[in-house]
Amino acid sequence: MNYPEEKTRTVGETESAENTAAESVATSAEAPATAAEAPANPRRRLGGSAKRLVAAVALIALSLGFLLITAQFPEWISTSYKHFSRFVIHAVGTLFAAAPFSVVEWLIYIAIASVLAAIVVTIVRSIRHKHALRRWAALGSGLLLAASMIFSMFAFCWAPNYRSAGLAYELGLEVRERSGDTLAAALSEIVDEMNEVVTELPADERGAVDWGGFGDQSTAARRAWQALAEENEFFADCTPLWTKPVAASRALSHAGLTGIFLPFTGEANVNADFPDSGRIFTMAHETAHAMGCAAENEANFAALLACRASDDPLARYSGLLAAFSYCYNALCSVDREAAYEQWYRLPERAIDDYHERGEYWARFEGEIQKVATSVNDAYLKAMNQPSGVKSYGEVVDLILADFVARTGYSE
C-alpha cells in the first residue's frame, strides 16, 4: 500500500504558519465580511472597460483605414470587390432565407430593448450600490465595442460599394449631359412599352389588376433578377434571395420609405403597405443593393433593367411606372409641354395608379417624414452621394445613356 509522503517543516516554518493563521482569525474577527459582501476589485473592472474601449477604437480605426484605402481604387471595387460582396451577402442571406419575416428588423427591436434594459439596470445598481462610475464605464465601453463590431461588418463586407467606379463604368455606358429632345424620346419609348404591357396585365373578377400577394410579387422580383443575370454578363454571378415584408410597414410609410436594405442579414426588406403597383420595382431596387449597387440611382437603374428583362408583365409594368415617373419629372423641368404630351399618351391604368400613389403618400406628409428624410439625406451624403435623397432621380442620366446605347438615337 502506498502512503502519501509526509511533508516536513522546520520549527520556524510551523510558527510562521501558525502566526499567519492567527492573524487571519484576528482580521476576520475585526471585519467580518462574506465573499458576497466583499467589494469587487475596481482596478480589475476598470481594466475590463479599458480593454473593451481599446478593442472598439482599434476596430473603428481598422475599418476606417480599409474604407480610405479601398476608396483610392474604384475600378478594383467594381471589378473585384463587388463580386466578393455579392458572395458574402448571398452567404449571409441564405442563413436567414428560411425565416418568413425580416430577421434584421427583429434584431433591431431586440437590440433597442436590450440597450434600454441595460441602461435601466445600470441606473438601479448605481443608486443602490457604490462604484457608479465603474458601472457606467462598463456599459459605455460594452456598447461602443458592439457598435464598432457592427460598423466593421458594414465596412468590410459592403460599404466600399459606395466608392465603386459606378454602374455606367461597369456596363460601358456613357453618362453625360443630354438634350431635352433625347429625354423626350426616351420618355416616349417608355410610354410605348407601357401601352403594350398594360394589355397583358392579369385582372381579377372586378377587372382590376391582380397583383397577387406579397409572396407572388417577391417571386416576380426574384425571377426578374434571375433574367437579368442571364442577360447581362456583369450581373451573371447575382443570385437574388427572397424579399421580406417589414412588420412595421406603416411606420416606414410615415417615414416616406418603401424599403430598406441592411447588409448584416443579407435581406431585402420592403414596405408591405403602400400600393401594389410600385412594390415589385421596390423589391428589385432593394435586391440591387444586395447585389452591390449601393448608390440609390444605380439601384434604381439596376431594378429597371431587371424589370425590363422579365417575362412577367407585372414586373415590367412596375418598372416602367417608376422609369416614367423619374423621366417625366425631369422633362417637366426643361420642357413642360413635351412632358404633358407624353402624360396624355399614358394608358388609363397607369394614370389611375399614379393617382392612387399620390393619395396614399399624401396621408403621411408631416414632421416624421421630414425628419426621416433629413436622416436619409445625411446618410447618403456621408456615403459619397453628394445629392443626398435627390440622387434617386439621377437614375435619369443612366436611363438616357442606356437609351442612346440601345437605339443609337442621334442627338
Side-chain angles (χ1 to χ4, degrees), residues 326-348:
Y326 287 118
C327 292
Y328 175 80
N329 290 334
L331 186 57
C332 278
S333 65
V334 295
D335 191 340
R336 189 170 295 272
E337 291 301 319
Y340 288 167
E341 180 181 342
Q342 297 305 322
W343 173 267
Y344 294 132
R345 294 183 58 232
L346 282 175
E348 288 296 324

Side-chain angles (χ1 to χ4, degrees), residues 20-293:
T20 301
E23 290 172 2
S24 299
V25 172
T27 302
S28 299
E30 293 172 1
T34 63
E37 295 171 343
N41 186 343
R43 179 181 300 175
R44 184 176 183 181
R45 289 289 184 88
L46 287 175
S49 297
K51 289 178 181 177
R52 287 191 291 272
L53 180 61
V54 170
V57 172
L59 274 176
I60 293 173
L62 285 173
S63 301
L64 290 176
F66 178 74
L67 291 176
L68 289 173
I69 292 173
T70 54
Q72 308 306 312
F73 305 97
E75 290 83 5
W76 174 79
I77 295 175
S78 289
T79 58
S80 299
Y81 176 85
K82 186 166 288 192
H83 299 284
F84 160 77
S85 176
R86 288 173 183 170
F87 171 79
V88 172
I89 296 301
H90 181 265
V92 174
T94 301
L95 296 176
F96 304 101
F101 55 88
S102 172
V103 176
V104 73
E105 179 187 7
W106 288 99
L107 287 178
I108 291 174
Y109 299 151
I110 293 171
I112 292 174
S114 299
V115 171
L116 292 176
I119 292 174
V120 171
V121 170
T122 302
I123 292 174
V124 172
R125 289 182 176 178
S126 298
I127 294 174
R128 291 183 177 181
H129 307 286
K130 297 180 180 180
H131 312 297
L133 178 61
R134 183 187 68 206
R135 297 182 191 282
W136 284 106
L139 176 62
S141 61
L143 292 177
L144 182 61
L145 179 58
S148 66
M149 293 173 67
I150 294 173
F151 176 68
S152 64
M153 291 171 59
F154 174 73
F156 284 100
C157 297
W158 194 75
N161 288 312
Y162 278 111
R163 301 282 180 169
S164 71
L167 199 54
Y169 167 84
E170 294 156 359
L171 298 180
L173 299 175
E174 181 186 3
V175 171
R176 60 180 177 80
E177 186 175 347
R178 307 283 180 178
S179 67
D181 290 341
T182 304
L183 179 54
L187 186 60
S188 178
E189 181 191 50
I190 292 172
V191 174
D192 289 341
E193 291 184 41
M194 292 178 73
N195 278 292
E196 179 181 344
V197 75
V198 76
T199 62
E200 304 173 22
L201 296 176
D204 59 19
E205 62 278 2
R206 298 171 302 169
V209 177
D210 184 4
W211 288 96
F214 189 95
D216 299 318
Q217 295 163 10
S218 178
T219 299
R222 187 167 181 263
R223 289 177 177 171
W225 261 97
Q226 291 171 338
L228 178 61
E230 295 175 0
E231 177 183 289
N232 193 300
E233 183 179 356
F234 179 72
F235 298 107
D237 60 340
C238 290
T239 49
L241 297 170
W242 299 104
T243 308
K244 304 289 188 69
V246 175
S249 288
R250 185 54 65 94
L252 284 187
S253 294
H254 279 286
L257 298 174
T258 56
I260 185 171
F261 172 76
L262 295 174
F264 310 111
T265 58
E267 299 168 300
N269 308 283
V270 172
N271 184 333
D273 190 66
F274 74 103
D276 290 301
S277 62
R279 202 170 297 141
I280 296 178
F281 174 79
T282 298
M283 290 173 170
H285 172 99
E286 300 305 331
T287 300
H289 284 316
M291 298 302 112
C293 300

